[in-house]
C-alpha cells in the first residue's frame, strides 16, 4: 500500500518505534537484531537511529562512518549490503568527531529529528524501525509529531526482567496511551544467561517481568531474548548474528519475535 502524501515515507509500509523506559536495557541491540531477523525473512528494512546521545547502531552493523550523500529528495540512507535490503540513517553519520558529545538544547534536537523523519529518501521498505533515546523526552515528542504527519503503526517496548526496569516501562506505556501510539508488544531482553559451553539458560536477574507486565497492561508479549555471549560478540564485532548462528536458541527467539511483530503489523 503506497501512501501518496507521505513524501519520503510514501513507499514505507510500516513504521515502528522501539522504546524503553530507561537506558541499558539493550534497546539498540534489539532494534539491530529485529532488523536482521526481518531481513532474514526476506523483508526490506530501514533503521532510523534517533538516539542522539548514543548513536550505537552504525557500529553494531559495522558500517563505520560513511559520507552521507544527498539526492533530489533528501539524504540517501547508508546500505549495509549490496542488495540494499537493510538501510540505515543515524545521527552518528553526521558528527565530525565520533567522540563528540551532543550538547544541544531542545529546539536544535527537534529540528534535526524533523529533518531525519522528513528528509531521508528511504525508497521502498517493508518496515522502518525507529531507535529512540531512553525515557519520554522532547526527542520522543518530536519523533511522534513528525511521524504522525505521515503515520506510525505503533511501538515495541523493551525491558529487562527486573521490577526496576518494568516499572520504568509502565511509564512508557502511559506515554504511548497519552500520545495515541498503539503498543505492538513488549520484549523482555537479558532474560537468563545462555552458557556458551552447555547452552543451559540460568536466570541471573529474574524472569518473567516483561510477560507479567504485558498481562497487567493488556499488551502483547512478543517474547524473551536471553543474555547470549555469541550475540554480545556479534554486536561488538558488527557481525550478523542471525546468519551466523541459525541453530541457537537466541536465533529462534529473535525469529519468533520478528514473525509475531509482522503478523501484528499486517493485522492492523
Amino acid at each position: 500500500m503506497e501512501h501518496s502524501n507521505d513524501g519520503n515515507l510514501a513507499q514505507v509500509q510500516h513504521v515502528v518505534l522501539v522504546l524503553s523506559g530507561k537506558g541499558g536495557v539493550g534497546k539498540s541491540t534489539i532494534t539491530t537484531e529485529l532488523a536482521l531477523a526481518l531481513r532474514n525473512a526476506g523483508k526490506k528494512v530501514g533503521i532510523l537511529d534517533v538516539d542522539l546521545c548514543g548513536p550505537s547502531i552504525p557500529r553494531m552493523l559495522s558500517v563505520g562512518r560513511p559520507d552521507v550523500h544527498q539526492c533530489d529528495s533528501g539524504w540517501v540512507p547508508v546500505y549495509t549490503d549490496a542488495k540494499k535490503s537493510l538501510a540505515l540513517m543515524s545521527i552518528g553519520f553526521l558528527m565530525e568527531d565520533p567522540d563528540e558529545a551532543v550538547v544541544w538544547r531542545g529546539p536544535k534536537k527537534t529540528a534535526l529529528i524533523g529533518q531525519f523523519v522528513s528528509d531521508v529518501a528511504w525508497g521502498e521498505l517493508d518496515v522502518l524501525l525507529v531507535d529512540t533515546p531512553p525515557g519520554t523526552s522532547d526527542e520522543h515528542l518530536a519523533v511522534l509529531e513528525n511521524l504522525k504527519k505521515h503515520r506510525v503503526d505503533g511501538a515495541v517496548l523493551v525491558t529487562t526482567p527486573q521490577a526496576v526496569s518494568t516499572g520504568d516501562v509502565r511509564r512508557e506505556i502511559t506515554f504511548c496511551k497519552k500520545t495515541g501510539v498503539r503498543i505492538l508488544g513488549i520484549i523482555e531482553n537479558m532474560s537468563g544467561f545462555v552458557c556458551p559451553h552447555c547452552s543451559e539458560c540460568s536466570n541471573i536477574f529474574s524472569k518473567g517481568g516483561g510477560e507479567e507486565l504485558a498481562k497487567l497492561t493488556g499488551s502483547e508479549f512478543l517474547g524473551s531474548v536471553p543474555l547470549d555471549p555469541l550475540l554480545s560478540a556479534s554486536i561488538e564485532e558488527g557481525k550478523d548474528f542471525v546468519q551466523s548462528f541459525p541453530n541457537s536458541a537466541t536465533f529462534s527467539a529473535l525469529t519468533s519475535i520478528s514473525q509475531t511483530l509482522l503478523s501484528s503489523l499486517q493485522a492492523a
Side-chain angles (χ1 to χ4, degrees):
M1 181 171 67
E2 187 163 315
H3 303 262
S4 57
N5 299 321
D6 290 348
N8 282 328
L9 289 172
Q11 294 175 287
V12 176
Q13 300 301 309
H14 301 289
V15 180
V16 177
L17 303 179
V18 184
L19 305 174
S20 69
K22 62 186 288 152
V25 299
K27 175 179 48 60
S28 295
T29 299
I30 291 293
T31 303
T32 301
E33 296 308 319
L34 264 183
L36 292 171
L38 289 167
R39 181 178 72 173
N40 196 53
K43 302 299 178 185
K44 290 188 82 169
V45 189
I47 301 177
L48 180 62
D49 182 7
V50 193
D51 194 345
L52 301 181
C53 299
S56 49
I57 289 183
R59 174 175 176 168
M60 292 178 176
L61 289 172
S62 197
V63 295
R65 300 186 62 251
D67 292 329
V68 175
H69 301 288
Q70 288 196 303
C71 63
D72 290 344
S73 52
W75 287 326
V76 179
V78 172
Y79 293 97
T80 64
D81 59 344
K83 292 181 182 175
K84 296 190 174 181
S85 57
L86 179 50
L88 171 64
M89 178 53 77
S90 169
I91 177 66
F93 297 152
L94 306 180
M95 293 166 68
E96 290 180 20
D97 179 357
D99 296 325
E100 181 187 341
V102 180
V103 189
W104 293 347
R105 293 190 185 277
K108 190 170 180 183
K109 288 183 184 178
T110 305
L112 179 65
I113 288 167
Q115 265 195 300
F116 257 35
V117 171
S118 307
D119 295 352
V120 180
W122 293 108
E124 287 186 31
L125 290 180
D126 293 303
V127 182
L128 175 63
L129 299 172
V130 184
D131 184 31
T132 62
T136 53
S137 60
D138 276 2
E139 288 98 306
H140 295 83
L141 292 171
V143 169
L144 279 176
E145 281 167 13
N146 284 283
L147 279 174
K148 278 187 169 177
K149 294 173 191 170
H150 312 281
R151 79 207 169 281
V152 57
D153 290 72
V156 168
L157 277 57
V158 182
T159 185
T160 52
Q162 311 95 306
V164 168
S165 180
T166 55
D168 288 329
V169 173
R170 276 176 195 265
R171 287 186 279 279
E172 202 76 43
I173 290 169
T174 307
F175 172 80
C176 288
K177 287 181 176 172
K178 281 185 176 176
T179 51
V181 175
R182 177 179 166 223
I183 297 168
L184 295 164
I186 295 172
I187 297 172
E188 182 177 293
N189 193 26
M190 306 185 200
S191 181
F193 170 74
V194 177
C195 174
H197 305 294
C198 68
S199 297
E200 187 176 332
C201 191
S202 307
N203 296 322
I204 293 177
F205 301 124
S206 57
K207 189 169 176 62
E211 191 165 6
E212 187 64 26
L213 180 64
K215 280 181 190 165
L216 284 171
T217 57
S219 310
E220 179 156 13
F221 182 63
L222 294 174
S224 305
V225 180
L227 276 166
D228 186 335
L230 294 173
L231 175 57
S232 303
S234 298
I235 286 288
E236 284 292 318
E237 295 163 19
K239 292 181 178 171
D240 184 342
F241 172 85
V242 171
Q243 285 198 330
S244 302
F245 301 101
N247 298 319
S248 69
T250 307
F251 169 88
S252 300
L254 290 165
T255 303
S256 171
I257 289 167
S258 66
Q259 290 304 319
T260 307
L261 176 61
L262 273 178
S263 300
S264 184
L265 288 170
Q266 285 158 0

